[in-house]
Amino acid sequence: MEVFVYKQYEEMSKTAAEEVADVLNAKPNAVLGMATGSTPLGVYLELVRMHQRGEIDFSHVTTFNLDEYVGLPITHAQSYHRFMHENFFRHVNIPPQNIHIPSGTTTNYRAFCDWYERRIVDCGGIDLQIVGIGSDGHIAFNEPGSSLRSRTRLKTLAKQTIDDNARFFDRPEDVPIYAITMGVGTIMEARQILMLANGVKKADAVAAAVEGPVTAMITASALQMHPNTKAFLDEAAASKLKMREYYDWIQFHKPGAPRV
Ligand code: PGA
């Protein structure tokens, strides 16, 4: 995992958006893996700005979202369908038929999950996957104990995740207990992964994911086994990394490295 630390959340988000733009410049019909939550909001804001300035075109892009709550209609204020529509899709020009978000209201979860997996493959696989990290070390809703080879499936959320997300709901008991999520194995097949984290609340999870052992107890640690993952962090999220000076050293010396 390559670690990049930024002074401010805004700078982190801007650089992450530039990574997305680089992918689209190289491959206008790229397949993007999208994430919800407060972390990627800055990236979406920046991508929308770039689109409005005419710097990026999404007209050939396909997207797959990581996860969705089970039981919330797509119009619910906290559904991830609604989140993505409000914060990103309605501001850019991705053809609606190219947008994929797991269904939280299907009557056949098993069949839907199998279809979602097949659809990712049929679209050529995910070129760049954006992921956040939960305070329990999850990626998407792959809670502690999830198989590191897991595929898209129905998942029971951990108490910590429900508590973390209660801030978005009127009452804590309104937070869904189940979600449908891409598996760790699904995410690991993306060609490139960008893991974003900001704030001190993520510092322990980030340290465990980046520097701890690879374990199903911290599913983000599986990204250590991925050949092309970058962790974009703000200072607070990076504050518990033991090898911080080394990451800065690498970035400082990178421009002088021999060209291959
Ligand atoms: P957050 O969630 O961006 O709202 O902190 C991240 C996650 O749970 O993956």
Side-chain angles (χ1 to χ4, degrees):
M1 225 188 286
E2 221 183 336
V3 179
F4 299 79
V5 184
Y6 300 95
K7 292 251 169 308
Q8 305 289 344
Y9 171 76
E10 289 70 24
E11 191 191 353
M12 177 190 97
S13 303
K14 227 173 149 202
T15 316
E18 281 159 12
E19 291 275 328
V20 177
D22 284 349
V23 168
L24 296 190
N25 284 334
K27 186 178 178 186
N29 63 342
V31 178
L32 300 178
M34 316 302 283
T36 50
S38 45
T39 311
L41 275 174
V43 182
Y44 297 149
L45 191 67
E46 190 55 31
L47 286 173
V48 169
R49 281 193 194 131
M50 292 168 101
H51 173 67
Q52 285 167 349
R53 291 197 298 259
E55 293 165 10
I56 36 175
D57 171 38
F58 291 93
S59 62
H60 300 289
V61 166
T62 297
T63 64
F64 286 89
N65 264 79
L66 287 170
D67 44 18
E68 176 58 291
Y69 287 122
V70 162
L72 297 190
I74 59 172
T75 50
H76 189 285
Q78 297 309 328
S79 83
Y80 287 173
H81 279 75
R82 178 87 177 264
F83 175 99
M84 288 307 299
H85 181 73
E86 294 298 328
N87 293 298
F88 189 56
F89 293 139
R90 80 185 174 96
H91 306 288
V92 295
N93 61 337
I94 302 173
Q97 68 274 18
N98 290 7
I99 292 171
H100 305 84
I101 304 177
S103 168
T105 53
T106 174
T107 51
N108 187 338
Y109 283 96
R110 177 74 58 93
F112 181 86
C113 292
D114 290 349
W115 173 82
Y116 204 72
E117 288 277 339
R118 275 199 310 276
R119 186 83 190 129
I120 294 172
V121 173
D122 290 348
C123 291
I126 293 171
D127 291 297
L128 172 66
Q129 176 68 60
I130 296 170
V131 294
I133 178 171
S135 64
D136 65 357
H138 70 204
I139 40 171
F141 276 135
N142 293 290
E143 300 289 29
S146 293
S147 162
L148 300 185
R149 289 201 170 159
S150 51
R151 313 302 307 191
T152 304
R153 70 210 182 288
L154 191 81
K155 190 76 198 157
T156 308
L157 300 181
K159 179 76 171 52
Q160 194 171 333
T161 299
I162 292 171
D163 293 347
D164 284 349
N165 291 352
R167 68 189 193 278
F168 299 116
F169 290 81
D170 291 338
R171 299 172 309 166
E173 57 269 35
D174 293 341
V175 187
I177 292 170
Y178 305 100
I180 182 165
T181 182
M182 269 190 214
V184 181
T186 321
I187 295 168
M188 290 290 282
E189 282 169 14
R191 293 182 187 94
Q192 191 181 333
I193 300 176
L194 207 50
M195 184 183 86
L196 307 171
N198 66 294
V200 72
K201 277 194 183 147
K202 300 291 173 69
D204 285 320
V206 165
V210 176
E211 296 180 341
V214 174
T215 167
M217 291 299 126
I218 302 283
T219 54
S221 68
L223 300 178
Q224 293 177 31
M225 308 282 284
H226 189 273
N228 190 4
T229 290
K230 290 178 180 163
F232 277 21
L233 313 169
D234 75 350
E235 291 282 353
S239 59
K240 297 207 171 155
L241 289 173
K242 291 197 176 67
M243 302 292 282
R244 169 65 198 279
E245 276 182 32
Y246 177 53
Y247 308 133
D248 292 348
W249 167 268
I250 293 171
Q251 295 316 324
F252 181 77
H253 287 285
K254 224 178 171 183
R259 300 266 169 254
V260 281

